[in-house]
């Protein structure tokens, strides 16, 4: 394409005298974000206590000396409509949040308190250890976790990636004095100014952002910069061919490589080389690896990702999802993959690297405050020698062809004995690899972007569509396009999802994000990015998507590898009966698209369908629906429909959800220790709005889970309402909604959900006005309706006898 990509605004970087590093970016918008990176992670903890670093991350969120209870960071950020999280990785731990800019200083003060003066109360440690154990049990069923664990077992014994680092009830003996010494010692060594990198993004001037960052640093003790630990060698490998047993799921063939890089090679160059390899592997067009595997009936999907990355070391894995499981098919897949890798090593990579770098340029221009903060927190060089990515790619190709660095494996359902890991349960054996068949093919690398090529207009689709348009809330040149189709069965949705995923790289190359989500009976496509390229590729993407067949017979039904709670959330639409007279027309909403691109997209369908779809009907009866999930943890989602779709009712229910959210999390996750996956939120399900409660538990069955939720509701709604506090909360919620509506994503999502719910475009403003006028009686009515139902439940097991059951 001829469009010139504008240069990204570069952050201001500085290093403090004590070693702390600051990365500051002033960016217009209603939100500000902060990321704190502590230069210590799981591989820095005492090996006697696996999971200690992860455990400390959890404990810090319980509050500090100044801000505890409802005043600590997590409930504060949730109450002001922000988002926060943390992540413990091998060699660093990240803490990050995003809030409306007017709450940024107060949130930063709370983060400083929890980092500088954590409570670390023993009773709280006991409770949080149970939360960590529930997370361990949930991750024990996650296929990616098990594959990564298996690969770690084949590294040298002294390499930290071979150790169990997640933590559980057995590895965190909080009652022992030695453990407390280790915990406090780890905290004192690493939670110092010299160990921190702070990245702040917001609309404030750079000088103000610097003042805020230095205020946080001042709360922490100083200290010298700790040199990084010496790297343990990744070679020689302890084994090179494994066979894993997993319960259900798709058979897979595994390839992995233990890579090392020269210390002088910039990490950004290595990342570009890995991304070039991933882009070439994922190319769905003829002549590529994925197309060849599909045409031969060997595989349907493949995925390349990093398992471990620190300084000069990378553990890289490629997983190929097989269509059939047999020794012959596996031998063929191995031959095809190695043939392609040999071709790739001798190919001309310059055009591929140019596409990778163009994609990176667009990525640097996109995203809100938190996304930008997380992009810049790696502290990589802003300027990169053009020859460095080519050198990295040459080294990568040499290493993926080296037999000494290669691990291969089979993942299937054939029984194998247990393998001792000290943590996650693993069924695995080592064996001698079978033959690798020779294979020749007319390979090719990805060419020009297929979505941006000049092609004849696609034929008009003989199907009804209702497309709606809104101007963007700002003038930054970004746009969003939503689409939904209701005519796909489960096999059709899976095929359409694969098709759309194959287009993600082509979209990202011009700065457009492609997301697809599935619900029972519906599939939603969302494109987001610069308005001009988005408008150009919208027609070819939609044409491919809408021409995908409605129904496909899958060769085999396999169990989902997703967590039970995620499987239930994907099936929430089963709780709502479709409105009579609902059609299967295409619904669409574009925000920020030009008139020219609106006309081109509408031309796909012919005359617009002006009829109004009937709104979804609010359920009037209770229902308990059993989702037949694979054996494992218990899970339950409870949806409480809002009785009337009026602005006043919605204002009361939205405020009720915000009031209940922190208490529900505290009660279910910390006090009762029911499980790790716990949340409560205002949600729209198949056009019906209401409150959603969810919980996944390793030990407590759904009959007891629903009793705990009911008890929580009774106690939480029995608290007397304070009129002044209610007015302040209503005003704060209205301000949050206004801030969200100023962002492109918030504005587009709000109008999209209103459209699917059959509400007028003015409904959102009416809700804001209703919040400012909300009376205690309206909240009392919402609380009563919440407690009396009707309730709609989707669970992993049958419910009480008096419920209407369905499966």
């Amino acid at each position: 394409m001829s469009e010139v990509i504008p240069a990204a605004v570069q952050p201001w970087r500085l290093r403090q005298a004590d070693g702390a590093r600051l990365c500051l970016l002033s960016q217009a918008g209603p939100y500000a974000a902060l990321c704190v990176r502590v230069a210590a992670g799981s591989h820095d903890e005492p090996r006697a206590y696996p999971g200690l670093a992860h455990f400390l991350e959890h404990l810090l969120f319980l509050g500090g000396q100044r801000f505890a209870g409802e005043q600590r960071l997590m409930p504060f950020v949730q109450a002001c409509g922000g988002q926060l999280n943390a992540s413990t990785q091998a060699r660093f731990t990240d803490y990050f949040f995003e809030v409306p800019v007017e709450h940024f200083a107060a949130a930063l003060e709370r983060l400083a308190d929890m980092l500088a003066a954590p409570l670390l109360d023993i009773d709280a440690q006991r409770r949080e250890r149970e939360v960590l154990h529930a997370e361990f049990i949930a991750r024990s069923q996650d296929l990616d976790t098990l594959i990564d664990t298996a690969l770690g077992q084949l590294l040298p014994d002294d390499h930290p990636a071979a150790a169990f680092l997640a933590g559980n009830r057995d590895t965190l003996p909080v009652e022992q004095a030695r453990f407390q010494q280790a915990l406090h010692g780890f905290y004192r060594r690493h939670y110092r100014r010299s160990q921190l990198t702070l990245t702040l993004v917001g609309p404030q001037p750079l000088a103000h952002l610097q003042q805020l960052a230095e205020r946080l640093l001042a709360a922490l003790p100083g200290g010298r910069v700790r040199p990084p630990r010496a790297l343990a060698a990744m070679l020689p490998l302890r084994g090179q061919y494994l066979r894993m047993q997993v319960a259900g799921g798709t058979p897979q063939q595994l390839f992995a490589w233990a890579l090392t890089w020269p210390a002088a090679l910039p990490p950004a160059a290595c990342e570009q080389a890995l991304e070039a390899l991933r882009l070439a592997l994922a190319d769905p067009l003829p002549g590529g690896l994925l197309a060849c595997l599909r045409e031969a009936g060997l595989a349907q999907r493949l995925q390349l990702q990093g398992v471990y990355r620190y300084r000069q070391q990378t553990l890289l894995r490629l997983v190929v999802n097989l269509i059939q499981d047999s020794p012959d098919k596996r031998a063929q897949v191995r031959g095809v993959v190695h043939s392609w890798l040999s071709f790739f090593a001798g190919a001309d990579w310059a055009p591929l690297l140019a596409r990778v770098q163009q994609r990176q340029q667009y990525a640097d221009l996109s995203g809100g405050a938190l996304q930008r903060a997380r992009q810049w927190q790696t502290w990589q060089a802003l300027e990169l020698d053009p020859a460095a990515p080519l050198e990295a790619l040459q080294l990568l190709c040499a290493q993926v062809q080296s037999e000494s660095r290669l691990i291969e494996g089979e993942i299937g359902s054939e029984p194998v004995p247990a393998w001792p890991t000290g943590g996650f349960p693993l069924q695995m054996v080592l064996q001698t690899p079978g033959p690798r068949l020779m294979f020749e093919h007319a390979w090719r690398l990805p060419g020009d972007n297929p979505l941006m090529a000049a092609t004849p207009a696609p034929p008009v689709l003989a199907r009804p569509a209702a497309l709606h348009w809104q101007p963007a809330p700002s003038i930054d040149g970004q746009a969003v396009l939503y689409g939904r189709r209701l005519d796909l069965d489960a096999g059709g949705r899976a095929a359409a999802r694969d098709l759309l995923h194959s287009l993600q790289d082509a979209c990202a190359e011009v700065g457009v994000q492609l997301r697809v989500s599935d619900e029972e009976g519906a599939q939603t496509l969302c494109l987001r990015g610069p308005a001009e390229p988005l408008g150009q590729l919208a027609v070819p993407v939609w044409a491919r998507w809408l021409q995908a067949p409605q129904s496909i017979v899958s060769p085999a039904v396999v169990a989902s590898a997703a967590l039970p709670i995620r499987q239930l959330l994907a099936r929430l639409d089963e709780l709502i009966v479709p409105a009579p007279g609902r059609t299967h027309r295409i619904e669409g909403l574009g925000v920020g698209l030009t008139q020219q691109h609106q006309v081109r997209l509408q031309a796909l369908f012919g005359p617009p369908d002006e009829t109004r779809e009937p709104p979804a009907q609010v359920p009037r009866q209770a229902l308990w629906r059993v989702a037949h999930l694979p054996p494992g943890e218990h899970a339950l989602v409870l949806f409480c429909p809002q009785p009337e779709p009026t602005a006043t009712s919605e204002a009361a229910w939205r405020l009720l959800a915000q009031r209940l959210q922190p208490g529900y999390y505290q009660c279910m996750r910390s006090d009762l220790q029911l499980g790790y996956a716990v949340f409560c939120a205002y949600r729209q399900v198949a056009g019906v709005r209401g409150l959603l409660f969810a919980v996944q538990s390793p030990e407590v069955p759904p009959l007891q889970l629903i009793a705990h939720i009911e008890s929580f509701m009774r106690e939480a709604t029995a608290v007397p309402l304070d009129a002044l506090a209610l007015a302040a909360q209503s005003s704060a919620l209205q301000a949050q909604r206004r801030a969200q509506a100023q962002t492109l994503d918030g504005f587009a999502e709000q109008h999209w959900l209103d459209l699917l719910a059959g509400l007028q475009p003015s409904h959102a403003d009416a809700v804001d006005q209703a919040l400012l006028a909300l009376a205690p009686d309206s909240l009392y009515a919402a609380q009563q309706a919440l407690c009396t139902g009707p309730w709609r439940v989707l669970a992993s097991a049958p419910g009480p006898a008096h419920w209407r059951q369905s499966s």
Side-chain angles (χ1 to χ4, degrees):
M1 59 181 295
S2 59
E3 181 184 4
V4 177
I5 307 172
V9 177
Q10 300 296 311
W12 181 36
R13 291 177 169 176
L14 62 156
R15 189 187 296 269
Q16 303 287 85
D18 56 14
R21 299 189 293 187
L22 305 184
C23 180
L24 312 173
L25 181 64
S26 185
Q27 170 180 289
Y31 289 91
L34 167 67
C35 292
V36 175
R37 171 161 290 183
V38 181
S42 296
H43 290 183
D44 301 290
E45 68 194 13
R47 299 200 73 172
Y49 302 114
L52 183 145
H54 184 202
F55 186 51
L56 179 61
E57 173 222 304
H58 276 240
L59 293 176
L60 296 189
F61 278 105
L62 300 181
Q65 299 292 338
R66 294 180 57 206
F67 300 100
E70 293 305 305
Q71 286 302 310
R72 57 197 168 90
L73 181 67
M74 182 175 291
F76 177 83
V77 169
Q78 292 171 340
C80 63
Q83 55 180 318
L84 81 165
N85 212 332
S87 174
T88 301
Q89 299 298 320
R91 296 291 187 173
F92 61 83
T93 305
D94 288 341
Y95 301 85
F96 44 92
F97 67 79
E98 179 186 70
V99 292
V101 65
E102 62 269 22
H103 299 295
F104 186 61
L108 186 146
E109 195 174 8
R110 285 159 172 79
L111 178 64
D113 180 50
M114 79 182 213
L115 293 177
L119 296 176
L120 302 183
D121 175 74
I122 292 293
D123 289 336
Q125 288 188 39
R126 291 191 183 96
R127 292 192 296 270
E128 201 61 27
R129 178 178 60 183
E130 295 308 303
V131 172
L132 210 72
H133 189 74
E135 181 180 349
F136 159 74
I137 293 174
R139 290 186 61 194
S140 296
Q141 303 172 49
D142 177 66
L143 181 57
D144 284 333
T145 296
L146 297 178
I147 293 174
D148 294 349
T149 300
L151 291 174
Q153 300 303 298
L154 302 192
L155 295 179
D157 185 57
D158 62 340
H159 197 283
F164 170 65
L165 301 170
N168 59 26
R169 190 183 291 151
D170 298 326
T171 69
L172 303 170
V174 300
E175 298 83 4
Q176 296 180 8
R178 287 187 177 180
F179 175 82
Q180 292 300 321
Q181 292 172 2
L183 178 68
H184 286 261
F186 182 87
Y187 166 75
R188 287 193 299 269
R189 282 193 304 276
H190 298 294
Y191 281 71
R192 295 177 168 274
R193 292 194 297 269
S194 57
Q195 296 290 98
L196 300 189
T197 299
L198 273 60
T199 305
L200 287 78
V201 177
Q204 303 95 322
L206 289 175
H208 187 195
L209 290 174
Q210 182 180 359
Q211 291 174 1
L212 290 170
E214 291 175 345
R215 190 184 306 170
L216 185 152
L217 290 171
L220 288 152
R224 62 183 178 84
V225 177
R226 301 183 66 86
R229 279 189 177 184
L231 292 173
M234 299 188 80
L235 299 177
L237 299 170
R238 289 191 283 172
Q240 293 192 263
Y241 201 94
L242 62 87
R243 183 155 56 89
M244 280 180 61
Q245 176 192 353
V246 296
T250 303
Q252 297 174 322
Q253 189 69 24
L254 174 66
F255 306 83
W257 298 271
L259 309 175
T260 55
W261 311 94
L265 198 59
C270 304
E271 294 294 341
Q272 286 192 17
L274 292 170
E275 178 60 15
L277 176 61
R278 190 203 62 78
L279 184 65
L281 283 166
D283 178 28
L285 297 180
L289 175 61
L290 184 57
C292 177
L293 290 170
R294 288 173 173 173
E295 291 165 3
L298 296 173
Q300 187 61 30
R301 303 180 188 90
L302 55 80
Q303 183 180 35
L304 181 78
Q305 65 185 70
V307 175
Y308 169 78
R309 176 70 193 274
Y310 179 64
R311 292 169 64 194
Q312 291 88 51
Q313 295 184 344
T314 300
L315 181 58
L316 185 69
R317 71 169 166 92
L318 171 67
V319 175
V320 180
N321 286 17
L322 305 181
I323 294 175
Q324 296 180 16
D325 189 356
S326 72
D328 180 61
K329 297 294 184 184
R330 290 185 181 276
Q332 290 181 57
V333 168
R334 294 175 64 212
V336 171
V337 169
H338 285 285
S339 171
W340 185 89
L341 289 172
S342 178
F343 152 77
F344 183 75
D348 177 11
W349 307 311
L352 191 62
L353 280 172
R355 294 180 64 177
V356 169
Q357 290 158 1
Q358 177 176 304
R359 175 176 177 167
Q360 182 61 51
Q361 286 179 276
Y362 271 114
D364 290 343
L365 292 168
S366 64
L370 183 57
Q371 183 177 341
R372 300 296 294 277
R374 300 210 70 194
Q375 284 173 349
W376 288 115
Q377 70 181 345
T378 56
W379 196 262
Q380 293 185 358
L382 297 179
E383 298 294 334
L384 190 63
D385 182 346
L390 187 61
E391 179 186 351
L393 200 45
Q394 290 171 337
L395 285 168
L396 174 61
C397 287
Q399 293 188 74
V400 297
Q401 294 188 95
S402 169
E403 293 291 337
S404 66
R405 297 180 179 274
L406 172 66
I407 299 172
E408 294 183 277
E410 303 175 8
I411 303 171
S413 57
E414 184 177 343
V416 297
W419 179 283
T421 67
F424 294 117
L426 196 63
Q427 306 293 122
M428 184 181 84
V429 294
L430 299 182
Q431 63 183 42
T432 303
R436 183 190 300 165
L437 300 183
M438 300 300 293
F439 185 84
E440 293 185 2
H441 190 70
W443 299 114
R444 50 162 292 280
L445 286 183
D448 294 335
N449 193 322
L451 296 178
M452 303 303 292
T455 58
V460 175
L461 304 175
R463 57 193 312 164
L467 306 184
H468 308 263
W469 312 103
Q470 289 280 350
S474 61
I475 56 173
D476 60 358
Q478 299 287 304
V480 173
L481 177 63
Y482 281 103
R484 184 184 70 163
R485 58 183 297 190
L486 299 167
D487 59 334
L488 298 168
D489 65 10
R493 285 195 301 276
R497 184 172 60 251
D498 286 344
L499 169 68
L500 291 171
H501 284 167
S502 73
L503 302 176
Q504 283 179 323
D505 285 320
C507 290
E509 192 177 317
V510 291
V512 176
Q513 301 170 9
L514 184 156
R515 302 192 304 271
V516 58
S517 60
D518 289 333
E519 302 84 32
E520 192 70 17
Q523 187 169 78
T524 299
L525 167 64
C526 178
L527 301 174
R528 194 246 193 248
E532 183 57 34
L534 187 152
Q536 292 184 47
L537 60 76
V539 169
V541 169
W542 272 48
R544 287 168 167 80
W545 177 44
L546 297 176
Q547 290 170 352
Q550 300 177 7
S551 179
I552 290 180
V553 178
S554 178
V557 178
V558 297
S560 172
L563 292 175
I565 196 69
R566 291 181 180 171
Q567 296 183 55
L568 295 186
L569 292 174
R571 296 172 56 180
L572 281 177
D573 284 14
E574 296 178 17
L575 299 177
I576 305 299
V577 178
R582 187 181 71 166
T583 68
H584 282 176
R585 75 179 182 186
I586 305 301
E587 294 282 352
L589 171 67
V591 177
L593 273 76
T594 66
Q595 181 70 30
Q596 175 189 5
H597 292 138
Q598 293 175 23
V599 170
R600 290 185 64 223
L601 197 60
Q602 185 66 65
L604 271 177
F605 305 99
D609 184 349
E610 302 289 354
T611 61
R612 288 185 61 84
E613 285 280 299
Q617 295 183 330
V618 177
R620 302 300 178 189
Q621 288 184 318
L623 173 69
W624 186 292
R625 187 171 180 84
V626 179
H628 298 285
L629 304 179
E633 293 197 55
H634 308 286
L636 177 146
V637 291
L638 164 64
F639 183 61
C640 305
Q642 178 184 312
E644 303 293 338
T646 64
T648 300
S649 177
E650 180 170 330
W653 278 67
R654 283 187 178 275
L655 183 60
L656 179 58
Q658 189 169 72
R659 288 168 59 91
L660 294 179
Q661 184 183 37
Y664 179 78
Y665 184 87
Q666 176 70 27
C667 175
M668 299 291 164
R669 190 175 185 268
S670 299
D671 297 343
L672 297 176
Q673 299 174 7
L674 296 181
Y676 171 69
V678 171
F679 69 90
C680 159
Y682 187 85
R683 183 70 68 91
Q684 179 168 309
V685 178
V688 176
R689 297 180 173 181
L691 262 67
L692 184 70
F693 299 86
V695 58
Q696 177 176 315
S697 176
E699 299 172 352
V700 182
L703 277 174
Q704 295 179 36
L705 292 177
I706 196 68
H708 286 305
I709 295 175
E710 187 174 6
S711 175
F712 165 78
M713 283 187 189
R714 285 197 308 267
E715 294 179 10
T717 57
V719 178
L721 297 178
D722 180 289
L724 291 178
L726 179 62
Q729 292 168 352
S730 299
S731 178
L733 179 55
Q734 191 259 7
Q736 294 168 27
R737 287 173 49 80
R738 289 292 188 188
Q740 290 168 355
Q742 292 176 39
T743 67
L744 175 66
D745 294 328
F747 179 87
E749 183 180 28
Q750 181 183 90
H751 282 270
W752 175 242
L753 293 175
D754 286 350
L755 175 65
L756 297 183
L759 300 170
Q760 296 295 329
S762 60
H763 179 77
D765 289 335
V767 172
D768 290 338
Q769 293 303 314
L771 278 169
L772 296 180
L774 191 65
D777 286 348
S778 297
L779 194 59
Y780 275 124
Q783 290 181 164
Q784 184 177 11
L786 175 69
C787 292
T788 57
W791 290 359
R792 314 285 283 188
V793 170
L794 185 62
S796 56
H802 64 274
W803 282 70
R804 185 167 68 91
Q805 308 283 324
S806 174
S807 62

